[in-house]
Amino acid sequence: MLRIRGTVGDLPVDLTLELDDGDWARLGAQLQAAPTPSASMTTPVKQSEDLWQHAQDLLRNAGQLNGLELLDQLEGLAGDAGAGKRLLVRLRHSAKVKVSSGGDTPLYSWIAD
């Protein structure tokens, strides 16, 4: 038996899972088969910071882009959708970027240099 207690936001969670021997064996096999991060799978800090600089330059040079256009360009820059979304969130929270309502999609504007 596995018991998980805690909270999700303000909601209390108390979850009990009952596993038989076969379930534990399958779980153990899955954990052993899970890939462990290696040096080749992790992104070097330098590359990450270069990507962040390029994302800022993209918006700075454009001046203003709607969220969908910006996300599309960031995904192309980063090479995948997940990394593009992380850059978009980072831009959203940057002091150099103003996000305003643009109807269906937010407008991202570069405000500082």
Side-chain angles (χ1 to χ4, degrees), residues 50-63 91 110:
D50 287 346
L51 190 58
W52 171 237
Q53 186 61 47
H54 288 301
Q56 292 179 91
D57 291 344
L58 188 142
L59 185 57
R60 181 185 302 119
N61 293 335
L91 282 171
W110 187 262

Side-chain angles (χ1 to χ4, degrees), residues 19-100:
L19 304 172
D20 62 23
D21 291 337
D23 294 329
W24 282 111
R26 283 191 298 277
L27 179 60
Q30 288 292 325
L31 293 175
Q32 289 175 353
T36 56
S38 66
S40 64
M41 292 177 67
T42 58
T43 304
V45 173
K46 176 76 172 120
Q47 182 181 355
S48 176
E49 286 307 310
D50 287 346
L51 190 58
W52 171 237
Q53 186 61 47
H54 288 301
Q56 292 179 91
D57 291 344
L58 188 142
L59 185 57
R60 181 185 302 119
N61 293 335
Q64 183 179 55
L65 288 170
N66 77 44
L68 295 176
E69 292 172 340
L70 181 57
L71 179 58
D72 187 47
Q73 291 187 27
L74 291 173
E75 287 175 355
L77 179 68
D80 69 55
K85 288 178 184 178
R86 285 189 294 277
L87 287 170
L88 186 68
V89 169
R90 193 169 174 187
L91 282 171
R92 176 182 286 276
H93 296 287
S94 171
K96 299 175 181 180
V97 176
K98 177 183 175 190
V99 181
S100 56

